Amino acid sequence: MKRVAMLCVGLAVGAASTAEAQLTMQMSNGWAFTFSGNVNAFSIYESTSETGATNLATTPGGLIGIGGKGFNLRTGLLPAFSVFDAKGKEGTTDLGVHFGFAPQIQCGTGSAGASVHDCFGAAIDMRQVYMTFGGTWGQILAGREIGLFNRQNILTDQTLFGIGATGGINGGGTTLGRIGFGYIYPNFVAQMTYSTAAGRPGQLSIGLFQPSGLGGDAGTVYNQTQVPRVEAEGTYKTGDVLVWANGTVQNAKDLTLTSPFFNASKTATGVGGGVRFGRAQFSLTGSGYWGKGIGTTLQFNGVGGPGGAVSGLGVGADGELRTSYGFIGQLTVTPASSKVTLAGSYGSSYLKATSGEPSFKTENSLISGGLYYQATKSLKVVGEGDYAWTKEKVANPNKNKTFAGAFGFMLFF
């Protein structure tokens, strides 16, 4: 939490050197209050092919449908952020509280599938509410903050400053970026996390997290959580190279009397990692993850209920845990003395059937290219093109594909 970029992005540590302008007030009691954030808006035109033949009803975790064209004005992958911080020191203990409000600008889709005109206020997502206290021994964070598993995978994603996959032509909320197209969303979750002291090449974070049930196609299957989830992340920075690894473990039990899996217990596990080589004019990033029972797009049981791709889907029809994995490769180039950065990336996420259910392997892939112009210290102008597809790899029908072009602005303060 040392950089304003982390505060206003809410996700992207070190992602915006533009976000240095902030309001800071020094209180008479020694505490300092800061206000920072960003506002962004993107115009998007998306065209989805009508020649696809991958049936999402029989392709768990598929994200791209068949047919449809449309224009939208909306928030990108990064929501607007309004961030309030207060920090103080009592004795040798550093103290802090943090509130991060994340609104979106658009209304989203109504019951007829079109964007609605009257939503009487766009959604406000209360993403961050936490306290910190620490010293030379490290820091404890308690509250709601981004999770550790796959955290660096998303923080190093170029589409944080664009749209990536839209998640639907007239979708509400933020776009997907590469969520489900190279990494699983860490989300902002209740936690108590210890981190070793900052300012050293290596840092380790490990925490207890609010547990989640494990979900399948029909909703949550393993619904009792008697122990917290454990997540951990280790990072090491030396020179121009950043290396990281992260992981998660979640146990849950089925206590539904009418369930064929009554009294059964399963433990979902996931590991992730990556490496980034970055200089002022060039960066190269590769990251990936593998898991059993963690699902795809969203983790574990996602939003709950039989919600399709956003329900986690880590549990098969036979009650066993499905395998999922994904990766990203990314390149950015900033010419010398230029305000323009060019970025390109390719990534995929896969979800596989268990050995006891009909065979399938769902692929969601995205190719993204972007041009990012730093018009002023705080204003960024963005142009981006994103080609995404969904394909069931076993039956091998024609893939469902879509292309979205976007132009927008991001202002950090």
Side-chain angles (χ1 to χ4, degrees):
M1 306 307 145
K2 300 297 183 183
R3 292 174 55 101
V4 179
M6 180 61 162
L7 304 181
C8 65
V9 174
L11 298 174
V13 175
S17 60
T18 60
E20 296 298 333
Q22 62 175 356
L23 173 65
T24 301
M25 293 186 291
Q26 189 69 42
M27 306 301 181
S28 60
N29 61 1
W31 282 67
F33 173 83
T34 62
F35 173 59
S36 58
N38 90 89
V39 176
N40 71 80
F42 289 89
S43 59
I44 305 170
Y45 182 81
E46 183 169 8
S47 177
T48 302
S49 172
E50 298 181 356
T51 61
T54 297
N55 184 356
L56 296 189
T58 57
T59 308
L63 292 170
I64 305 299
I66 301 173
K69 298 179 180 180
F71 174 85
N72 203 358
L73 267 170
R74 64 181 299 181
T75 299
L77 170 58
L78 179 66
F81 254 95
S82 179
V83 176
F84 300 87
D85 260 303
K87 294 183 179 181
K89 189 166 187 175
E90 297 179 353
T92 59
T93 303
D94 297 314
L95 303 170
V97 293
H98 181 105
F99 295 86
F101 300 84
Q104 293 98 50
I105 66 172
Q106 78 278 14
C107 282
T109 304
S111 58
S115 295
V116 297
H117 183 270
D118 298 314
C119 61
F120 304 103
I124 298 178
D125 184 354
M126 191 70 194
R127 294 204 177 192
Q128 297 169 302
V129 186
Y130 63 80
M131 69 178 84
T132 58
F133 55 93
T136 57
W137 49 269
Q139 176 183 271
I140 291 177
L141 180 151
R144 180 182 176 89
E145 172 60 318
I146 191 170
L148 300 176
F149 175 61
N150 266 206
R151 179 171 69 170
Q152 288 295 331
N153 300 49
I154 190 173
L155 298 184
T156 52
D157 177 15
Q158 72 173 77
T159 66
L160 278 173
F161 294 101
I163 64 165
T166 65
I169 294 173
N170 297 313
T174 67
T175 63
L176 286 176
R178 284 199 172 277
I179 298 169
F181 294 86
Y183 51 73
I184 297 180
Y185 187 42
N187 212 342
F188 292 79
V189 286
Q191 60 185 279
M192 292 183 178
T193 295
Y194 167 76
S195 297
T196 58
R200 301 172 183 174
Q203 187 173 41
L204 174 66
S205 298
I206 185 168
L208 303 179
F209 288 71
Q210 182 179 24
S212 303
L214 305 181
D217 299 343
T220 301
V221 178
Y222 298 98
N223 50 20
Q224 179 173 272
T225 51
Q226 297 176 327
V227 294
R229 180 168 69 258
V230 177
E231 295 189 19
E233 178 191 71
T235 62
Y236 188 82
K237 178 79 163 62
T238 176
D240 299 321
V241 179
L242 171 66
V243 180
W244 70 89
N246 47 57
T248 184
V249 179
Q250 173 68 68
N251 177 265
K253 190 174 184 179
D254 184 2
L255 287 186
T256 303
L257 291 174
T258 56
S259 170
F261 317 117
F262 174 68
N263 218 30
S265 175
K266 294 292 182 183
T267 299
T269 57
V271 293
V275 60
R276 178 181 178 86
F277 176 84
R279 291 182 175 174
Q281 298 177 8
F282 169 83
S283 75
L284 185 63
T285 307
S287 65
Y289 72 93
W290 179 93
K292 198 87 169 175
I294 61 174
T296 187
T297 306
L298 303 184
Q299 296 183 48
F300 306 115
N301 60 346
V303 298
V310 294
S311 293
L313 307 179
V315 180
D318 58 351
E320 298 301 315
L321 302 183
R322 291 168 173 163
T323 297
S324 56
Y325 59 95
F327 65 90
I328 301 170
Q330 177 178 291
L331 171 68
T332 70
V333 177
T334 304
S337 303
S338 175
K339 294 184 177 182
V340 174
T341 296
L342 301 173
S345 60
Y346 171 78
S348 301
S349 286
Y350 296 91
L351 179 69
K352 294 177 63 177
T354 68
S355 59
E357 60 181 343
S359 183
F360 71 84
K361 181 180 179 181
T362 302
E363 173 195 357
N364 293 309
S365 294
L366 170 67
I367 298 173
S368 179
L371 185 152
Y372 311 89
Y373 175 67
Q374 201 67 52
T376 72
K377 182 179 180 180
S378 301
L379 176 64
K380 189 184 293 290
V381 182
V382 179
E384 191 178 284
D386 297 278
Y387 174 65
W389 65 90
T390 290
K391 186 175 180 65
E392 200 289 288
K393 302 283 285 185
V394 175
N396 203 35
N398 290 337
K399 61 187 179 184
N400 302 348
K401 52 191 177 182
T402 186
F403 179 81
F407 175 80
F409 307 96
M410 305 186 78
L411 180 60
F412 295 87
F413 61 91

